[in-house]
Amino acid sequence: GQNIDQPTEMTATEGAIVQINCTYQTSGFNGLFWYQQHAGEAPTFLSYNVLDGLEEKGRFSSFLSRSKGYSYLLLKELQMKDSASYLCAADSNDYKLSFGAGTTVTVRA
Amino acid sequence: DAGVTQSPTHLIKTRGQQVTLRCSPKSGHDTVSWYQQALGQGPQFIFQYYEEEERQRGNFPDRFSGHQFPNYSSELNVNALLLGDSALYLCASSSLVTEAFFGQGTRLTVV
C-alpha cells in the first residue's frame, strides 16, 4: 500500500521561509509531486522530483531523497497569497498519484 | 486552451440516487483520472481511463464506475449515493510526457 505523511498545519510570517516535509512509503515509486491548492480551487502543479537532490524554481524549491523516502518543499520570501494547502503526492508505476492529507500554510502579516 | 473542465460545479443529491459527473481533458491529453477529496483531506484515487478503458482502479466500491469517450472526455457515475460520498470530485488529465492537470472539481453534497 501507499503511506504519505505530511504535517497538518504550519504558520509563518510574511517574508519568512517555511519548509514542508513529506515522508512516503510507496511501492513502484517513480517520483514525488508537490501541488498547491487554494480553498475551493483545483490543485496546481508546483514541482516534480525524480532524482535525488534539490530543484529550485523561483521562490519555491523541492528536495527528494529516494533512499530515505523523504521530500520537502521550501517556500521562501513568503507572501500572503502563499496561504494555501500544499499536497505531497507519490507517483508510482501503477498510474496513480497517492496524496498526503495536505499541509495548510497560513501566512501572517 | 480551456484546460481541464468539469461539470457541474456543484450538485445536491438525495441518498440512494445516482449521479453523473463530466470531465473534458486539456487539449492534447489522452488520459483522465478521477479523484475524491473529502474536506480537509488529500485527493484519493478512484480510477484512470486511457484509450477508453479503465487502466487502474483505487479502493472504491463498484458503485463508482466510469467511461471515456473517443474524444478523451470522461464521465464518473456513482450509484446508490451514500452520505459519505459527499466530497469534491476532481478530474485530472495528462499525457505520457506531462504532469497531471486538475479541473476545478464538482462539489457533490448528498443529503
Side-chain angles (χ1 to χ4, degrees):
Chain A
Q2 324 287 17
N3 191 25
I4 319 293
D5 288 316
Q6 53 182 127
T8 305
E9 295 181 343
M10 302 185 76
T11 301
T13 307
E14 203 173 9
I17 298 174
V18 69
Q19 177 174 315
I20 306 169
N21 296 323
C22 172
T23 58
Y24 63 89
Q25 291 176 311
T26 303
S27 55
F29 179 78
N30 286 334
L32 198 291
F33 281 96
W34 284 96
Y35 281 86
Q36 180 192 60
Q37 186 177 28
H38 285 98
E41 297 184 9
T44 55
F45 170 79
L46 291 178
S47 66
Y48 180 54
N49 291 65
V50 175
L51 302 176
D52 284 359
L54 183 69
E55 291 199 8
E56 300 186 72
K57 198 182 289 186
R59 295 189 298 113
F60 293 2
S61 303
S62 55
F63 172 84
L64 177 67
S65 169
R66 296 176 72 103
S67 62
K68 295 182 179 178
Y70 168 69
S71 173
Y72 68 73
L73 179 69
L74 195 68
L75 314 180
K76 293 178 277 190
E77 301 169 19
L78 278 173
Q79 301 176 9
M80 299 299 287
K81 67 178 181 179
D82 297 330
S83 292
S85 178
Y86 291 85
L87 299 163
C88 161
D91 176 31
S92 55
N93 59 13
D94 59 358
Y95 305 113
K96 62 184 180 184
L97 295 180
S98 298
F99 283 87
T103 299
T104 300
V105 171
T106 302
V107 181
R108 293 184 172 166
Chain B
D1 184 358
V4 181
T5 58
Q6 292 186 242
S7 63
T9 54
H10 295 83
L11 200 54
I12 299 175
K13 288 286 190 178
T14 305
R15 276 176 296 175
Q17 285 189 313
Q18 179 266 344
V19 69
T20 298
L21 311 182
R22 295 177 176 82
C23 173
S24 293
K26 186 176 170 64
S27 178
H29 288 185
D30 57 8
T31 302
V32 173
S33 303
W34 287 91
Y35 292 82
Q36 180 195 66
Q37 186 175 24
L39 202 59
Q41 298 297 315
Q44 297 296 310
F45 178 80
I46 302 175
F47 42 53
Q48 183 183 88
Y49 276 84
Y50 173 71
E51 293 189 341
E52 302 180 52
E53 296 286 334
E54 182 183 287
R55 177 158 71 174
Q56 182 60 261
R57 188 179 183 89
N59 295 324
F60 280 81
D62 292 344
R63 298 187 296 110
F64 290 77
S65 63
H67 189 77
Q68 185 178 35
F69 299 93
N71 66 354
Y72 308 119
S73 65
S74 177
E75 288 182 349
L76 163 65
N77 300 291
V78 187
N79 293 323
L81 283 166
L82 304 174
L83 294 179
D85 295 331
S86 295
L88 179 68
Y89 288 84
L90 293 164
C91 167
S93 73
S94 60
S95 68
L96 188 62
V97 295
T98 72
E99 71 276 12
F101 285 78
F102 284 84
Q104 294 286 85
T106 295
R107 173 72 62 187
L108 173 65
T109 303
V110 182
V111 298

